[in-house]
Amino acid sequence: MATVSPLPASPGLFPGAYTLQLPHDPRAPGIARALLRLVLEAHDGAELVEDAELLGSELLTNAHLHTKGPYALRLSPGVSDPGRVRVAVWDGDPKIPPGFKRGGPRADACAEGGRGLFLVRAYANDWGAYSFPGGHGGKLLWAECGDADRWGGGAWGGAARG
């Protein structure tokens, strides 16, 4: 007789969300990326680390460079597709950057900076943003990556990245 029962199968990547609150410190984005890698690898999602880390890195760096206060990283299964991972970053500024608005401007191909959010828009399976009501709760920028069909409807597998 087994003394430890296995956990029930999760409908997505992991059973809930992981959130890391970060101080406005130049080391914070790197610490958050390390947590992102750790969470995905712990849930047999190593195949998504590269994609999720790119998305997270751009969102975290944007929060650090363009705000003065704390920010937070949140990892969760995708909302419309639990086989994906949603990488979200909250910060205290309610203004959504023009580069992250649907139908917004495109990146200047010759610019040396300011293309991170355009990269997120181009690279993510889905993305979005919203400001919290009242303008005092900040905003949340998010991006999803992964393919549920590749993982059997959300159950991680060993398929190669396509």
Side-chain angles (χ1 to χ4, degrees):
M1 175 178 267
T3 57
V4 178
S5 300
L7 293 172
S10 169
L13 306 180
F14 30 86
Y18 289 84
T19 303
L20 177 63
Q21 296 178 351
L22 299 155
H24 195 269
D25 180 298
R27 296 166 288 216
I31 292 167
R33 286 190 305 272
L35 173 73
L36 184 149
R37 285 190 301 273
L38 182 66
V39 168
L40 288 176
E41 289 170 358
H43 290 283
D44 298 324
E47 293 85 359
L48 286 184
V49 168
E50 185 178 314
D51 294 352
E53 189 173 10
L54 171 79
L55 298 173
S57 182
E58 295 298 338
L59 295 175
L60 288 159
T61 300
N62 191 65
H64 181 77
L65 292 176
H66 300 290
T67 65
K68 294 181 179 171
Y71 45 99
L73 170 70
R74 181 177 172 92
L75 301 173
S76 62
V79 173
S80 63
D81 186 341
R84 293 181 179 163
V85 62
R86 178 173 281 205
V87 179
V89 174
W90 168 89
D91 66 55
D93 182 355
K95 183 179 176 197
I96 295 173
F100 213 66
K101 292 181 181 175
R102 293 199 186 263
R106 297 193 174 273
D108 179 355
C110 297
E112 290 188 23
R115 296 185 306 204
L117 294 179
F118 296 105
L119 180 62
V120 170
R121 283 174 35 183
Y123 206 74
N125 291 86
D126 196 10
W127 54 271
Y130 57 90
S131 291
F132 291 95
H136 300 293
K139 69 176 170 295
L140 186 80
L141 303 181
W142 61 268
E144 290 185 6
C145 64
D147 182 358
D149 293 336
R150 180 185 319 169
W151 312 115
W156 289 95
R161 185 171 176 249

